[in-house]
Amino acid sequence: MQTLSSSARPADAHNAAYRTLWRWHFYAALFVMPFLVVLAVTGTLYCFQPQIEPLLYPGRLVVTPAGTPRLSEDALLARARAAVPPGARPATATIGSDPRRSAEFVFRYPDGEKYSVYLNPYTGDMLGTLNVERRFMQVDRMIHRKLLLGKPGELLMELAACWTLVMVGTGIALWWPRGAFAWRGTLWPRLELRGRPLWKSVHAAMGIWLAAGAVAFILTGLPWSGSWGQQFKSLATRAHLGSPPGAWGGSALQSTIPGQAAAAPAGQTQYGGTPHEGHGMDGMGDMGDMPGMVMDDLPLPQTPWAVGATAVPESHPAGRPATALPLGRVLDIARQNGISDGYDVAFPTGPSGVYTVSYFPADPKREHVLHIDQYSGKVLEDIGYADYGAVSRAVSYGTALHMGRYFGLANQLVCALISLGLAGMVVTGFAMWWKRRPRNALGAPARLLTPVTMRRWKIGLTALGVIFPLMGGTMLLVWALDSVAMRRRAAG
């Protein structure tokens, strides 16, 4: 019987380990590549939203500055109300002072669709409307987050992000120099090569330069995901590391109608009666009362992550008519509390609703949310960066960097460079596979029969599966299918 020499065994084990890593890298890339291209293109476009949207809709978003003062927000709201179909109700007002931008109000139409209504702030003339869900940047954002497929698409994008971590980790392991370090061929491609070796060299060099950016994108994007992100937000909140007090139904603050009897008991945040439409509010509600509503439920274009799960204060009206404050008074209250420009106001959603002011600037330290009693103008809740927990502060900065907002144009360019570089990785990876693929076969790297321990990799992958359960389930599925294929190969 012929036996392997002691020097051959380590070489075989090393080769088998390399093949195993290559195999996992191949399968991860096979799943991730299409989604990575979508994420790269849509993310780059959304990063440049401030520059792109005025070019797409100049007649509605851009106006010529006039020498006359702007009309008051209440006057503009009245003009917008007169221009929309009967029964349409204002949902959100965008407040800004840029002399070149139009005034914008979002209305919910009787058919349930939401439209942005644009007016010239100097004359009050109607400039046009845009369907909120169909405007280009909103469609781009929904493709980026959920492929326009609702919850299934959201889960797919989350899985793709998680599997990118496997792809990056195995890619670094495959790239890691096993001999003397050389700049060329390790950190810089060997451009004198031809064919598949050239593509491999370019792929490896690009990958190592982009690895940190790819991981940063994933870790800063996952807190916004629909499955893991929501659970992470809940865990951080309950551990007092995330959202400020008042999250998840803990707020005892309530709006009160003048002359109303005693409010609900402290700590009660849900109205147990039948939801009803607003009355005596001049049509300011857009959804009716929603017991247990949180910030993420409000019709705001952007909500800081830290306050997304915080409960929106509400009252328990006794049915008495009351008059809500005009929008101008709400803006005065916001100004008195340090919010003066570049924010959104969500209108009350019924007689028990409140005005919500959401300020989501590029600098996370200036994030600010106010809930204002729609009748008395009392600030029921005031949430700023100082109220955030450690996790929320980290996520807030990560979000600002992820969206290309924190450092202005430089931040946008860096994000675009990383995103388009990752799309380039897909191109080079595809070219490598295309040049080595066998006819009528997938061309996955062969798995050697030599036993491989790889204890540290197993621990790492197990940890990833525990942290990201959705990914863990798919990892088990891939491992099971691969094991079945391996047994069939060994039996054959």
Side-chain angles (χ1 to χ4, degrees), residues 26-46:
F26 177 86
Y27 284 131
L30 190 68
F31 170 65
V32 164
M33 282 195 303
F35 300 104
L36 199 57
V37 172
V38 173
L39 286 170
V41 174
T42 56
T44 300
L45 289 173
Y46 194 72

Side-chain angles (χ1 to χ4, degrees), residues 277-292:
E277 297 296 325
H279 58 280
M281 296 172 51
D282 197 21
M284 287 189 181
D286 76 314
M287 290 182 285
D289 291 342
M290 292 177 61

Side-chain angles (χ1 to χ4, degrees), residues 289-339:
D289 291 342
M290 292 177 61
M293 186 189 299
V294 297
M295 278 286 293
D296 283 337
D297 297 325
L298 296 177
L300 291 164
Q302 294 284 357
T303 301
W305 186 86
V307 299
T310 57
V312 177
E314 59 183 30
S315 65
H316 299 265
R320 296 187 57 177
T323 302
L325 294 173
L327 179 58
R329 175 64 183 133
V330 175
L331 305 191
D332 290 338
I333 296 169
R335 194 176 301 111
Q336 292 165 10
N337 285 272
I339 306 176

Side-chain angles (χ1 to χ4, degrees), residues 93-174:
T94 298
I95 309 301
S97 60
D98 188 339
R100 298 164 298 176
R101 295 301 293 265
S102 60
E104 179 182 0
F105 298 93
V106 175
F107 280 78
R108 184 180 293 275
Y109 280 22
D111 61 2
E113 293 287 321
K114 288 189 294 184
Y115 286 84
S116 289
V117 178
Y118 299 96
L119 302 100
N120 187 311
Y122 305 102
T123 64
D125 293 339
M126 177 79 162
L127 300 177
T129 63
L130 284 174
N131 186 297
V132 170
E133 299 300 326
R134 296 176 191 168
R135 62 192 297 169
F136 178 81
M137 278 302 168
Q138 179 63 9
V139 172
D140 177 79
R141 182 187 178 196
M142 289 300 101
I143 294 174
H144 188 77
R145 293 189 63 182
K146 55 185 71 175
L147 297 172
L148 298 180
L149 296 176
K151 194 65 177 180
E154 202 167 23
L155 295 178
L156 274 174
M157 294 305 255
E158 182 178 320
L159 266 178
C162 292
W163 272 96
T164 301
L165 293 174
V166 176
M167 186 178 68
V168 171
T170 53
I172 292 174
L174 294 171

Side-chain angles (χ1 to χ4, degrees), residues 39 76 309 346 369-370 390 425:
L39 286 170
L76 291 169
V369 169
L370 299 174
M425 290 291 294

